[in-house]
Amino acid sequence: MNQSLLGVFVSLALLATPVRAEENPVIVDALSGYMDFAEYGSSLIWPEQIPKEDWSKVFIVDARDAAQYEKEHIPGAVNIDWRQAVARRAEIPRDRMVVMYCNSGSLSAQAVFALRLLGYDNVKVLQDGFEGWKAKGGFEANARAGKPAGH
């Protein structure tokens, strides 16, 4: 099913009378169709996979709250709280790679999932989040990696 059409179905289903997802076949079918179609790893990227010089080409989204962003973030990142990703999707480019992160990758993964359902196939989760990025050397993670990334 076309991902744009899928996004429309999911949006309409969510605007319908509030019912639990398992009771709404439109939502179940849309999610099942997406899950069957999605490739494993297509929305994941590890810090080691991005060479230092390529980070400047990536649109980086810090999906944590504003206080965490203000305290520390990946240089060049734009702060879009994960809960606002759908509402602020017009700020997210479609013409280049978008990497979203939170502290560990779990909350940004939810935002990426929603955006991918809406047709943003250029959006990826930074695996292991901000903490993993720092632990692996930040922008130097690719150069420091002893083996090809991809896990």
Side-chain angles (χ1 to χ4, degrees), residues 84-102:
Q84 293 297 312
V86 171
R88 294 179 59 189
R89 68 188 177 279
E91 299 171 44
I92 299 171
R94 290 181 176 260
D95 61 348
R96 61 180 167 147
M97 184 190 303
V98 175
V99 173
M100 294 188 98
Y101 71 90
C102 57

Side-chain angles (χ1 to χ4, degrees), residues 9-143:
F9 283 134
V10 171
S11 298
L12 290 173
L14 293 174
L15 293 174
T17 307
V19 292
R20 295 181 6 198
E22 68 263 22
E23 296 173 3
N24 189 326
V26 174
I27 293 174
V28 173
D29 287 345
L31 291 172
S32 294
Y34 176 80
M35 300 290 276
D36 288 342
F37 177 74
E39 284 183 41
Y40 178 77
S42 65
S43 62
L44 302 174
I45 194 160
W46 285 262
E48 305 95 309
Q49 291 178 282
I50 306 174
K52 181 178 182 176
E53 60 275 7
D54 288 354
W55 278 97
S56 63
K57 301 172 193 167
V58 175
F59 188 82
I60 309 166
V61 177
D62 185 320
R64 302 173 303 157
D65 63 45
Q68 291 180 70
Y69 174 82
E70 288 299 322
K71 183 178 177 187
E72 184 179 27
H73 60 270
I74 294 176
V78 173
N79 183 222
I80 300 176
D81 186 297
W82 70 276
R83 294 167 287 219
Q84 293 297 312
V86 171
R88 294 179 59 189
R89 68 188 177 279
E91 299 171 44
I92 299 171
R94 290 181 176 260
D95 61 348
R96 61 180 167 147
M97 184 190 303
V98 175
V99 173
M100 294 188 98
Y101 71 90
C102 57
N103 285 317
S104 65
S106 61
L107 295 177
S108 55
Q110 293 180 56
V112 166
F113 179 70
L115 289 168
R116 289 182 76 87
L117 280 173
L118 293 172
Y120 285 78
D121 57 1
N122 61 319
V123 180
K124 297 183 179 286
V125 176
L126 184 62
Q127 189 69 20
D128 299 329
F130 185 56
E131 295 305 320
W133 180 82
K134 290 190 304 184
K136 292 177 178 181
F139 293 133
E140 300 294 333
N142 178 268

